[in-house]
Amino acid sequence: MIMKKRSLLLGLSLMTAVSPVSLLAGPGHGNEEHSEGFFTRLKNAVFASYGEQLPFGRVGKSSEVSKKVAIELNDQFRFSPEVIPVAVGETLQLDFKNTGQMRHEWVIGTPFEISEHLELMRRFPDMEHDEPHNVHVDPGQSHSLVWQFNREGRFEYACLLPGHYEAGMRGFAEVK
């Protein structure tokens, strides 16, 4: 009987020491840094599936697209449309078509971020990009991007290839 009680107590103490809750919460307290809790890790896992949160939104999911917007890039250094009205939280599929004979790009950001990027492009005109909010479209080609506009504001988009922005190749996403 005493042996059964000891076994039962040992089993119970092991179960509470390694419970599912303790596994989800991460390591215990000590001198090490505090790890993220379960709910923080869960939230991060959910939002990671969208991509990094930026001041002007984040990569969206195709399954959540509420509207498709065709955007023409042309050699008159214009985007059509030049203004895209968007409701906060809306996920758009942006379909780019380069109708010109030269390469164009589409970059979105806050006006400050666009001006910083423009200065970088002036210093390094052949700079390669791999940001999810930037597309390059060669002449006669198309490209699509799904973006969730989950922040209110007036965000600028532009072609920052040398001379294009200065010629007027810019527009705005107005998120209300």
Side-chain angles (χ1 to χ4, degrees):
M1 181 84 163
I2 292 177
M3 192 61 144
K4 284 185 179 180
K5 282 185 180 178
R6 285 178 111 175
S7 297
L8 181 60
L9 287 173
L10 179 62
L12 286 173
S13 64
L14 285 173
M15 283 176 54
T16 57
V18 187
S19 70
V21 173
S22 67
L23 288 173
L24 294 173
H29 294 286
N31 290 333
E32 74 276 355
E33 292 288 321
H34 291 278
S35 67
E36 294 177 335
F38 168 70
F39 291 107
T40 301
R41 286 196 314 257
L42 178 63
K43 179 186 77 167
N44 289 343
V46 168
F47 290 119
S49 67
Y50 284 94
E52 179 184 359
Q53 178 64 56
L54 299 169
F56 46 90
R58 63 185 176 193
V59 172
K61 293 181 179 180
S62 297
S63 61
E64 297 176 358
V65 169
S66 58
K67 180 169 53 174
K68 293 181 179 185
V69 177
I71 300 174
E72 177 190 349
L73 299 83
N74 62 52
D75 289 351
Q76 288 72 46
F77 302 106
R78 295 291 181 266
F79 291 107
S80 180
E82 289 185 13
V83 177
I84 302 171
V86 185
V88 173
E90 196 168 26
T91 301
L92 302 184
Q93 177 177 315
L94 304 169
D95 296 319
F96 303 95
K97 174 73 176 167
N98 184 344
T99 59
Q101 299 300 309
M102 60 181 79
R103 185 178 208 208
H104 295 291
E105 71 175 4
W106 186 89
V107 180
I108 189 166
T110 63
F112 177 76
E113 290 167 322
I114 292 294
S115 68
E116 278 190 330
H117 194 142
L118 180 60
E119 284 307 311
L120 274 175
M121 289 295 289
R122 285 178 177 151
R123 290 186 9 224
F124 308 102
D126 296 324
M127 181 172 71
E128 289 295 319
H129 301 83
D130 65 351
E131 295 90 358
H133 57 280
N134 180 331
V135 298
H136 285 97
V137 188
D138 289 322
Q141 299 298 305
S142 298
H143 189 82
S144 291
L145 169 70
V146 176
W147 196 259
Q148 183 183 53
F149 292 90
N150 61 357
R151 298 281 196 257
E152 189 172 311
R154 188 171 200 239
F155 306 110
E156 189 172 5
Y157 54 87
C159 180
L160 302 177
L161 296 175
H164 293 211
Y165 183 84
E166 294 81 357
M169 199 164 188
R170 54 185 169 253
F172 295 93
E174 293 184 353
V175 187
K176 297 179 183 181

